[in-house]
């Protein structure tokens, strides 16, 4: 514990990111030009469709160890277990209560952290400027991970510092293919290995 904790000013001015909304009227107009059979869709319906689809994607990523493969070969998203940060992470609630700096420790998950990973380097087909793509989880996705992780933290892939994420995904795909082969292999129920005839 380190003394001299200064409570954060909750009324201080904030620096916020610019939010770029993709589901706009311009997007809807371009979409209807490409697919005229959907001309009756409203922008609210498009937002509802996108929200439902994205919710199903991140829900699958949260509840499955291997994560989810994005459509059209855009990459993979999965939740990984990581070592704690080397920097001093402050638990603000406890620090404000005791008026001194208290380090945040994840006792529920044996001091491990959850991180959401995105990679497109393990995709089967490369696409232009793929190294410039990045992923930022929605608030609902992050909250779902924070809720589920303390209970199921051992289920997720443990990611070591400095290791390539695409190698993890390649290994997961190999083990998945092996497991599918094992499941498809069935022994005839009448087979008896001790029957020599």
């Amino acid at each position: 514990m380190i003394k001299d904790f200064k409570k954060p000013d909750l009324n201080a001015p904030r620096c916020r990111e610019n939010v770029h909304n993709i589901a706009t009227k311009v997007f809807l107009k371009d979409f209807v030009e490409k697919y005229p059979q959907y001309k009756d869709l409203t922008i609210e319906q498009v937002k509802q469709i996108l929200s439902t689809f994205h919710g199903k994607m991140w829900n699958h990523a949260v509840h499955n160890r291997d994560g989810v493969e994005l459509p059209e070969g855009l990459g993979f998203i999965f939740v990984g277990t990581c070592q704690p940060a080397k920097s001093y992470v402050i638990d603000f609630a406890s620090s404000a209560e005791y008026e001194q700096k208290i380090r945040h420790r994840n006792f529920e998950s044996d001091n491990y952290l959850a991180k959401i990973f995105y990679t497109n380097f393990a995709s089967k087909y490369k696409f232009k400027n793929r190294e410039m793509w990045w992923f930022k989880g929605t608030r609902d996705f992050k909250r779902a991970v924070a809720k589920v992780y303390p209970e199921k933290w051992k289920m997720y892939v443990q990611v070591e510092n400095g290791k390539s994420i695409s190698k993890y995904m390649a290994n997961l795909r190999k083990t998945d293919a092996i497991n599918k082969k094992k499941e498809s292999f069935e022994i005839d129920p009448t087979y008896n290995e001790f029957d020599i005839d």
Side-chain angles (χ1 to χ4, degrees):
M1 288 184 266
I2 301 172
K3 299 218 175 203
D4 303 328
F5 176 73
K6 186 178 175 186
K7 262 185 152 178
D9 183 6
L10 300 178
N11 298 320
R14 301 281 185 252
C15 179
R16 298 191 189 275
E17 272 185 55
N18 290 333
V19 178
H20 303 286
N21 193 353
I22 295 170
T24 61
K25 291 180 181 177
V26 175
F27 166 77
L28 183 60
K29 182 183 167 202
D30 292 342
F31 180 78
V32 168
E33 281 178 13
K34 192 170 182 180
Y35 303 102
Q37 64 266 31
Y38 299 111
K39 65 180 183 296
D40 297 331
L41 278 178
T42 64
I43 194 69
E44 288 76 23
Q45 289 173 324
V46 170
K47 287 180 181 178
Q48 183 63 39
I49 291 166
L50 290 173
S51 175
T52 304
F53 175 73
H54 295 152
K56 290 185 184 221
M57 293 291 280
W58 61 251
N59 190 31
H60 186 81
V62 168
H63 294 290
N64 291 290
R65 182 179 193 271
D66 298 343
V68 64
E69 183 175 359
L70 298 175
E72 303 297 325
L74 292 177
F76 299 89
I77 296 172
F78 70 98
V79 178
T81 295
C82 301
Q83 292 289 336
K86 292 178 182 174
S87 61
Y88 197 89
V89 181
I90 296 173
D91 182 356
F92 285 99
S94 299
S95 299
E97 185 180 340
Y98 296 108
E99 296 181 354
Q100 58 185 358
K101 285 185 184 177
I102 298 175
R103 188 173 188 164
H104 183 67
R105 300 190 186 278
N106 299 312
F107 291 120
E108 306 91 12
S109 59
D110 201 18
N111 212 17
Y112 285 102
L113 305 174
K115 287 189 182 178
I116 300 169
F117 290 95
Y118 165 74
T119 181
N120 55 23
F121 280 78
S123 297
K124 189 173 181 182
Y125 303 106
K126 295 180 182 179
F127 51 89
K128 192 175 182 181
N129 299 327
R130 68 178 181 165
E131 61 277 351
M132 297 179 73
W133 284 54
W134 65 291
F135 172 82
K136 184 176 181 184
T138 61
R139 181 181 296 166
D140 293 334
F141 188 8
K142 292 177 187 175
R143 286 182 177 171
V145 170
K147 185 178 180 184
V148 172
Y149 186 76
E151 299 158 11
K152 298 183 175 181
W153 65 274
K154 288 185 179 179
M155 176 184 83
Y156 299 108
V157 178
Q158 187 163 354
V159 179
E160 302 295 329
N161 292 339
K163 292 247 181 152
S164 172
I165 301 302
S166 56
K167 288 182 181 174
Y168 282 102
M169 293 313 299
N171 287 341
L172 285 175
R173 284 183 20 208
K174 282 179 189 172
T175 53
D176 191 36
I178 291 168
N179 289 339
K180 281 183 182 175
K181 281 184 182 177
K182 285 180 182 176
E183 288 171 8
S184 64
F185 180 73
E186 292 181 15
I187 297 174
D188 183 11
T190 60
Y191 174 73
N192 182 358
E193 68 254 20
F194 299 110
D195 187 12
I196 300 174
D197 296 333

